[in-house]
Amino acid sequence: HRPAAAVVYYRRALNVAPTNAVIHLNLGTVFLKSGRPQAAVAAYRRALRADPELVGAKLQLAWVLATAKDDTLRNGGEAVRLAEEVRSESGEDHARPLDVLAAAYAEVGRFDDACRVASQGLTVAASDGPAEQLESLRARLLLYRHGKPYREESSADPEPTASEIPDDLS
């Protein structure tokens, strides 16, 4: 099973470089893909302790805190704070930070803000995003327009991994 092998690989890497934030980020993503969101959150937090400016970890953690099915994992206030930090650092030319921020706003009931930011994300994604990303963004925007936050349907199908986040954001 590939996720189990990846966990072993990243844990070995952490034995060599225990404070490497990117290894913690990647381990968190493997945990999330394998349906272990609590372990993912812990790994993302370790990544941010090692590098408080690691944008990929901020985005992944904010996403889980805003969208987890398990309400004990959700923390909308922290998700908004993390996503707003990324947005202020990255501007409005990347769909992913806008999508995460919209989900965080929806989680705390700020649906007008969620709709505005999700619309901006759609505009950005329309210029260079894959069709499936556009569909996902549109579906979430529809939820926000109806006053509903987005919930991850399956922990095994998470958002982009660290390697899929644009270089200028990671």
Side-chain angles (χ1 to χ4, degrees), residues 22-33:
V22 174
I23 296 172
H24 286 289
L25 168 60
N26 290 338
L27 181 59
T29 301
V30 170
F31 283 141
L32 195 60
K33 284 184 175 183

Side-chain angles (χ1 to χ4, degrees), residues 53-97:
E53 301 306 313
L54 186 61
V55 172
K58 287 181 184 181
L59 284 176
Q60 289 292 90
L61 180 56
W63 182 258
V64 176
L65 295 176
T67 67
K69 282 177 92 170
D70 180 351
D71 54 340
T72 64
L73 286 178
R74 286 195 312 276
N75 181 332
E78 184 179 3
V80 167
R81 180 185 59 77
L82 290 165
E84 284 180 340
E85 283 178 19
V86 171
R87 183 178 185 195
S88 70
E89 295 162 4
S90 68
E92 296 182 8
D93 56 345
H94 296 286
R96 176 72 179 142

Side-chain angles (χ1 to χ4, degrees), residues 117-136:
V117 172
S119 294
Q120 291 170 348
L122 263 173
T123 300
V124 170
S127 65
D128 65 355
E132 63 190 37
Q133 180 186 30
L134 289 172
E135 290 174 32
S136 296

